[in-house]
Amino acid sequence: MTESDAPASIETPAAFHDHLAQVAAETNDKLNDLLPLPRGKERRVVEAMRYAALDGGKRLRPFLVVACADLFGEPKPRSIRVAAALEMVHCYSLIHDDLPAMDDDDLRRGRPTCHKAFDEATAILAGDGLLTQAFSVLGEPATHPDANVRIAMIAALAEAAGAYGMVGGQMLDLIAESEDLNEQEVSHLQSLKTGCLIAVSCRIGGILGHADPGICDRLHEFGLNLGAAFQIADDLLDMEASASDLGKAAGKDAAAGKATFISLYGPERARERSKSLVDQAVSLLDGFGAEAEPLRQAAKFTVTRHS
Ligand code: GRG
């Protein structure tokens, strides 16, 4: 079947982009609500949080939360709160990653990084504030009336974001600046640094929808494959795209001598690998029907995107 004669219920690439834009706009509105400015002078840290979290980014992690929750008919007002919480954690990681002590970047999402727009100490606090606000949102009854669901989401996100997930991946990334890594080590680093947060976005959508643990594991595995493909695509863009396309510095990995699948095997094999990871991700959705089409399209988008 070609895209043009696909039934309306099956998401096409164009429909996917509209859907992504819609979730991005709803996530932005929710972040705006969930990050109110205090009256006192402490408002500066919330201004920095809002600067880093509002109005930018592809909002892939929020999209995955909503698309996975949609599989189980979970109401949008709940899934969009969880989506905003995931985006807060992602934005915290970007703020801290850009700091002089880490990647030392001046540009993010097409504008000055948080520490450039404010100052280093405020940027550290803004990251801390976003991370903790995410857990506060997940713990609120408005996010889900069932306390067991809230606790399960909090536990899953804490594991994925912490030292046994993304923070551990960032530690490996810093070590990789001074040590050569083999393929297995690169794969482990990327799975922790990038894969864990993407995978838990999918798992949490299942938890929110009271999905069976086996289904939540399958969604998690889908996210890990998608995350691995996403990271290779990111490395290819780092090599091939311009800073103005990316909205952040380009060519940094090669300049830092960091091991990636491209430095290990070259761009062609890296591209093939990313496509086969997308195929693996999509095959994990075989038990679902048309309702999983947004997720299939999201997997394809990870390797066709230009930023
Ligand atoms: C500092 C704890 C800590 C973690 C940092 C996310 C991260 C770990 C570092 C950011 C640098 C980087 C290139 C990470 C790989 C994951 C990745 C590609 C992040 C950028 O995600 P996108 O492309 O960004 O989804 P947008 O701006 O679209 O949200």
Side-chain angles (χ1 to χ4, degrees):
M1 184 187 299
T2 63
E3 270 162 23
S4 56
D5 58 18
S9 60
I10 301 282
E11 188 139 319
T12 61
F16 166 75
H17 282 278
D18 288 350
H19 193 167
L20 182 63
Q22 186 196 333
V23 173
E26 287 169 337
T27 302
N28 209 62
D29 290 349
K30 191 49 68 181
L31 285 166
N32 187 38
D33 293 348
L34 295 171
L35 297 170
L37 281 171
R39 283 174 175 275
K41 288 183 182 164
E42 73 276 19
R43 68 189 280 129
R44 180 170 167 81
V45 70
V46 183
E47 281 164 358
M49 290 158 72
R50 291 172 62 89
Y51 175 83
L54 295 178
D55 304 322
K58 294 177 287 299
R59 310 298 200 192
L60 176 66
R61 296 148 193 84
F63 183 87
L64 293 171
V65 172
V66 170
C68 288
D70 279 352
L71 294 174
F72 310 100
E74 195 55 24
K76 191 66 151 312
R78 290 182 192 163
S79 63
I80 211 74
R81 287 175 64 88
V82 177
L86 259 295
E87 186 67 12
M88 286 181 200
V89 175
H90 173 55
C91 294
Y92 129 75
S93 80
L94 298 180
I95 297 175
H96 282 197
D97 184 66
D98 289 335
L99 287 168
M102 302 236 188
D103 259 13
D104 194 10
D105 275 307
D106 295 349
L107 196 64
R108 170 70 63 186
R109 293 178 167 174
R111 52 189 189 156
T113 45
C114 192
H115 67 274
K116 286 282 168 189
F118 290 81
D119 58 77
E120 264 182 66
T122 304
I124 292 169
L125 291 177
D128 296 341
L130 283 169
L131 177 63
T132 41
Q133 182 69 356
F135 288 100
S136 170
V137 169
L138 290 186
E140 282 168 18
T143 302
H144 200 286
D146 182 344
N148 289 322
V149 168
R150 302 202 299 275
I151 289 168
M153 290 193 295
I154 288 169
L157 182 58
E159 186 179 338
Y164 305 96
M166 186 173 68
V167 167
Q170 185 71 354
M171 185 75 252
L172 290 175
D173 199 58
L174 295 174
I175 291 170
E177 286 176 10
S178 55
E179 281 180 27
D180 288 339
L181 304 188
N182 62 29
E183 174 180 348
Q184 200 188 356
E185 289 167 326
V186 170
S187 183
H188 182 55
L189 183 165
Q190 297 189 343
S191 158
L192 292 183
K193 182 175 134 178
T194 310
C196 281
L197 200 62
I198 291 181
V200 83
S201 303
C202 300
R203 174 185 287 280
I204 256 180
I207 295 173
L208 194 58
H210 279 119
D212 290 343
I215 298 286
C216 291
D217 288 347
R218 186 170 269 257
L219 292 174
H220 192 96
E221 196 61 30
F222 164 80
L224 281 179
N225 281 285
L226 186 151
F230 183 90
Q231 183 60 59
I232 294 175
D234 206 69
D235 294 338
L236 286 163
L237 286 169
D238 183 67
M239 186 183 76
E240 292 167 351
S242 66
S244 66
D245 285 341
L246 297 179
K248 61 181 180 180
K252 286 207 75 173
D253 291 345
K258 270 188 197 168
T260 64
F261 283 106
I262 303 170
S263 71
L264 289 174
Y265 300 119
E268 279 324 303
R269 277 185 64 190
R271 213 179 302 279
E272 278 164 27
R273 187 183 166 94
S274 70
K275 285 185 186 149
S276 107
L277 284 160
V278 168
D279 291 343
Q280 282 176 49
V282 169
S283 73
L284 284 157
L285 301 173
D286 279 353
F288 295 100
E291 72 279 15
E293 205 51 35
L295 291 171
R296 296 186 185 100
Q297 289 295 335
K300 290 171 191 160
F301 163 76
T302 59
V303 293
T304 54
R305 67 200 168 95
H306 302 292
S307 69

